[in-house]
Amino acid sequence: MKTEVKIINNVEESVDDIKRAAECIKSGGTVVFPTETVYGLGADALNENAVKKIFIAKGRPQDNPLIIHVASKNVEKYAQDVPKVAEKLMDKFWPGPLTILFNKKPIVPDITSAGLSTIGIRMPEDKLALKLIEFSETAIAAPSANISGRPSPTDIYRCIEDLNEKVDFIIGGNESNVGLESTIIDCTVTPPCVLRPGGITLEMLREVDPEVYIDAAIMKKPSEDIKPKAPGMKYRHYAPKAKVSIVEGSLEKSVEKINEIVQNYIEKGFQVGIMATEETKNLYKQGNIISLGSRNNIEEVAKNLFETLRKFDDSAVDYIISEAFTEDGMGLAIMNRLRKAAGFDIIKA
Ligand code: AMP
Ligand code: MG
């Protein structure tokens, strides 16, 4: 398949290109586009055949539902009912990195919701994404624009790396500002339940409804007893080629432990990557050290996480050892993605 790639530097000046991408969506094609969370691989959410192409291009399991992206807060076309709390959440956080689960209307085909009776809807903030949805005159179903299981792409070149010749169109240019996927909140239950932590933090959600709680399965290794409510959360995910481990404990002890582990691997002839921070990067003695940013700017750490995992893949390390982070605010989403990338391999310092 030939993929048309269009790099956009200025959205206002590129309306014609965005219109062509929208034509592609309208005619049942697949378009990779930027959002503020991560890049998405989109198709017309109401066109069964088009949605099927998303699953094929990514190699995504059929039982993993897609989020649909809209350009306004009028979700009645797709949602059976809109609870008061969902209205408040939309008012406060849309456009933005929050996906809300509603009971779905029959207009949304089963393939899009993977057979579930609910549908996740999000209005992204990215200007190009909003224009693309508007011009497409439909909702765009879009999971992250990576091969299934790989770290999500936060810039267009990573999308090209994964999906060139697998999709019809790749459009974009901006780096994703948030860098982690949207928060998913289920508003079909009372009180609402967070199924995936992300750009909108638990603390922010509780300002709207103090009762909001978190699916207990989010931070645990999926098992027979612990099944996450978001089907996608049960898969190995966000994983680079190297084996990832996380070292948890006080920062001082973690650094010491990481130095010891790295030394061990290097003696055995392996290449090792260290996910460090500005505060610690000079404390490591050897290995391929990349700083995710400052611990005082957890949003920056979130933004750099997936790209750093991919950079380690570029340098073909065998092992990646990461420091751990706070679980407050955005830290919860960071630790959720990190634990999954590590297949829950956690070493106590
Ligand atoms: P991605 O778009 O690749 O970030 O994946 C979407 C995530 O949202 C996956 O983890 C899905 O399982 C989850 N998701 C989407 N729709 C639903 C739904 N209706 N119910 C529960 N989880 C959902
Ligand atoms: Mg994904």
Side-chain angles (χ1 to χ4, degrees):
M1 174 191 281
K2 173 109 188 64
T3 300
E4 182 171 351
V5 176
K6 203 86 230 174
I7 308 286
I8 303 288
N9 295 312
N10 181 315
V11 171
E12 279 77 24
E13 287 168 13
S14 309
V15 168
D16 288 345
D17 289 323
I18 302 170
K19 281 192 173 152
R20 282 197 312 113
E23 282 310 316
C24 181
I25 295 272
K26 280 182 164 179
S27 61
T30 44
V31 176
V32 168
F33 64 100
T35 85
E36 70 277 18
T37 57
V38 300
Y39 271 69
L41 162 51
D44 181 350
L46 307 184
N47 177 338
E48 233 179 272
N49 248 327
V51 171
K52 209 174 275 169
K53 292 179 189 169
I54 296 179
F55 284 92
I56 293 168
K58 284 193 57 140
R60 183 174 176 102
Q62 292 276 344
D63 68 347
N64 194 0
L66 305 180
I67 290 167
I68 70 172
H69 295 72
V70 294
S72 90
K73 296 176 188 174
N74 300 322
V75 295
E76 291 79 11
K77 185 170 173 194
Y78 314 107
Q80 197 69 258
D81 39 68
V82 180
K84 262 254 132 23
V85 65
E87 254 170 38
K88 283 193 199 158
L89 290 168
M90 286 191 280
D91 273 345
K92 191 152 170 129
F93 299 117
W94 279 16
L98 181 69
T99 296
I100 303 177
L101 293 193
F102 297 93
N103 288 312
K104 86 171 178 76
K105 279 197 172 151
I107 188 175
V108 181
D110 279 344
I111 182 166
T112 306
S113 65
L116 297 177
S117 59
T118 54
I119 187 71
I121 309 184
R122 177 165 102 85
M123 179 181 179
E125 190 171 23
D126 185 278
K127 270 198 237 155
L128 196 160
L130 282 174
K131 284 235 168 341
L132 178 69
I133 302 164
E134 265 168 38
F135 294 150
S136 300
E137 298 174 319
T138 183
I140 299 184
S144 49
N146 50 279
I147 295 295
S148 221
R150 302 255 304 132
S152 306
T154 53
D155 88 25
I156 191 166
Y157 299 101
R158 296 302 185 183
C159 301
I160 297 170
E161 193 175 285
D162 274 21
L163 294 172
N164 195 29
E165 297 187 356
K166 294 196 166 86
V167 297
D168 296 303
F169 217 112
I170 298 180
I171 190 166
N174 280 347
E175 272 179 32
S176 299
N177 251 329
V178 179
L180 296 181
E181 300 83 354
S182 60
T183 303
I184 301 178
I185 187 163
D186 185 353
C187 282
T188 68
V189 293
T190 312
C193 175
V194 175
L195 306 191
R196 176 174 75 182
I200 302 295
T201 65
L202 182 62
E203 293 83 346
M204 290 157 83
L205 294 167
R206 283 188 174 154
E207 280 175 26
V208 172
D209 182 346
E211 308 265 279
V212 170
Y213 69 105
I214 291 220
D215 179 13
I218 277 181
M219 285 310 201
K220 304 209 177 97
K221 191 171 182 168
S223 67
E224 268 314 298
D225 307 330
I226 310 166
K227 285 211 180 82
K229 294 198 188 82
M233 300 292 280
K234 71 176 181 276
Y235 292 108
R236 182 176 150 81
H237 223 141
Y238 318 120
K241 291 169 195 136
K243 179 173 183 331
V244 183
S245 306
I246 309 167
V247 173
E248 289 189 0
S250 74
L251 201 50
E252 199 182 331
K253 281 199 171 148
S254 297
V255 170
E256 205 176 296
K257 185 80 188 174
I258 291 173
N259 270 325
E260 187 188 310
I261 298 169
V262 171
Q263 167 77 18
N264 245 315
Y265 280 137
I266 288 179
E267 272 171 15
K268 292 186 180 127
F270 292 115
Q271 304 274 344
V272 192
I274 304 175
M275 288 225 278
T277 45
E278 287 305 292
E279 289 78 5
T280 57
K281 65 180 185 192
N282 296 323
L283 304 173
Y284 295 108
K285 303 193 176 98
Q286 50 193 337
N288 178 348
I289 304 153
I290 304 182
S291 166
L292 289 169
S294 167
R295 288 182 169 271
N296 296 324
N297 185 353
I298 203 75
E299 284 72 24
E300 187 192 2
V301 171
K303 183 173 170 172
N304 291 330
L305 180 67
F306 286 141
E307 179 55 24
T308 302
L309 289 171
R310 282 184 177 249
K311 280 203 182 104
F312 281 129
D313 272 353
D314 293 344
S315 58
V317 298
D318 304 292
Y319 293 92
I320 299 169
I321 319 289
S322 181
E323 294 173 7
F325 294 88
T326 163
E327 289 183 9
D328 293 336
M330 272 295 267
L332 188 68
I334 293 171
M335 285 309 291
N336 168 259
R337 305 306 191 276
L338 252 184
R339 285 189 179 139
K340 289 177 72 70
F344 296 86
D345 184 33
I346 292 153
I347 299 163
K348 294 278 174 226

